[in-house]
Amino acid sequence: MNLPMNPAPNVPVADGPAARRPLVLVPACNRMLGDHPYHIAGKKYVDAVRLAGCLPLVVPNADPVELEALLAIADGVFLTGSPSNVHPSHFDEDVLDLSLPLDPARDAWTLPLIPRTLAMGLPLFTVCRGTQETNVALGGSLHQAVHQVEGHRDHRAPDGVPTAVQYGPAHEVFVEPGGVLERVVGLARFDVNSVHGQAVNRLADGLRVEARSPDGVVEAFSAADAKGFNLCVQWHPEWQAAANGVSMKMLTAFGQACRRYREGLRESHP
């Protein structure tokens, strides 16, 4: 007698809740662990995608064909922060500090990914490095050492203190009225953490400032004419996001946009 098989515990079936969640691409970084190369993504970013109500898919480097295949199945893109910096050759500069890590393999596929994501209307949320590479991908430039720029404070995390202190509130941001960020969080100013050495220098054409720090550094921006939801922030909202009301508002807005995108595709492609 053949009996129906039950799914394994905690594994969602095809029509279960996880299967109905929007799929969000989380591009991986590249790191050597010993003598072996690895694709990695910080757990806090994957957790943030889940807090947004979406299903995270960590993806490695992608060639042009793979990129299109990934975009075809995606309902959103989440660009993470990273210890590495965008290679300054992408904005026509030499490397200022050779001791800082770079990740040219990530650059090679995320920089083409960003304009395609925006052109398709896929929801896009970016953090720290992801925000910097979005500006560069669209034609902007970066301060390689914002703390060395006259009039700007040191935005790096303090050394020799616990991680909770490094990621604790560092300064306020002032929200530009009438933008995406104001609509999402409903605040004119709020505190953020600050753990970045690089920052936006020349903002790419078509990008709108959403928030600035007290010293004038661009802390958030959006692509005003993009078809879909997009928000790029310089701080780390994923850090202990579940306990941070502002972070949860942003992640919720991103998740809702991903669901709308997914439902729209279903309506047009039954």
Side-chain angles (χ1 to χ4, degrees):
M1 178 178 180
N2 293 325
L3 297 175
M5 294 182 64
N6 293 322
N10 301 320
V11 176
V13 293
D15 60 348
R20 291 195 292 271
R21 282 188 250 156
L23 182 68
V24 171
L25 305 183
V26 183
C29 296
N30 301 274
R31 202 75 52 82
M32 292 296 296
L33 299 180
D35 295 328
H36 301 279
Y38 280 78
H39 300 297
I40 65 171
K43 180 178 181 295
K44 60 182 180 176
Y45 302 111
V46 173
D47 289 344
V49 171
R50 291 190 170 113
L51 283 173
C54 300
L55 186 65
L57 177 64
V58 177
V59 290
N61 307 332
D63 63 26
V65 173
E66 291 175 334
L67 173 58
E68 293 304 317
L70 288 164
L71 289 172
I73 64 171
D75 303 306
V77 174
F78 188 113
L79 295 178
T80 70
S82 172
S84 70
N85 293 317
V86 179
H87 200 289
S89 62
H90 294 292
F91 47 94
D92 300 321
E93 292 185 13
D94 295 326
V95 178
L96 182 64
D97 186 347
L98 293 172
S99 71
L100 297 178
L102 298 166
D103 190 345
R106 171 166 165 162
D107 296 341
W109 90 277
T110 55
L111 296 182
L113 165 70
I114 291 162
R116 285 290 294 122
T117 297
L118 294 171
M120 291 176 62
L122 267 171
L124 174 68
F125 190 82
T126 76
V127 171
C128 200
R129 186 203 208 269
T131 293
Q132 295 165 7
E133 62 192 348
T134 299
N135 185 49
V136 171
L138 300 177
S141 68
L142 304 176
H143 292 301
Q144 293 189 54
V146 70
H147 47 282
Q148 295 179 8
V149 178
E150 185 176 357
H152 290 322
R153 56 166 285 166
D154 192 339
H155 287 256
R156 297 173 297 180
D159 292 327
V161 299
T163 304
V165 176
Q166 290 181 328
Y167 280 82
H171 61 74
E172 285 186 311
V173 293
F174 299 97
V175 179
E176 295 289 327
V180 176
L181 186 60
E182 185 189 49
R183 291 196 300 272
V184 168
V185 304
L187 297 170
R189 56 201 289 178
F190 54 89
D191 291 332
V192 299
N193 51 39
S194 185
V195 294
H196 60 99
Q198 301 202 334
V200 169
N201 180 5
R202 184 184 70 257
L203 195 65
D205 292 343
L207 296 181
R208 179 191 190 280
V209 175
E210 295 284 346
R212 293 184 185 271
S213 61
D215 61 350
V217 167
V218 174
E219 289 278 344
F221 60 77
S222 64
D225 295 331
K227 297 177 182 179
F229 173 92
N230 66 96
L231 182 60
C232 306
V233 303
Q234 182 57 69
W235 66 94
H236 284 264
E238 83 288 348
W239 174 255
Q240 298 182 344
N244 186 301
V246 169
S247 294
M248 286 306 301
K249 286 180 180 179
M250 291 189 291
L251 291 173
T252 298
F254 174 63
Q256 290 173 342
C258 293
R259 281 189 289 278
R260 288 194 298 269
Y261 184 88
R262 184 175 185 272
E263 291 165 1
L265 282 183
R266 282 193 165 187
E267 289 173 2
S268 58
H269 300 284

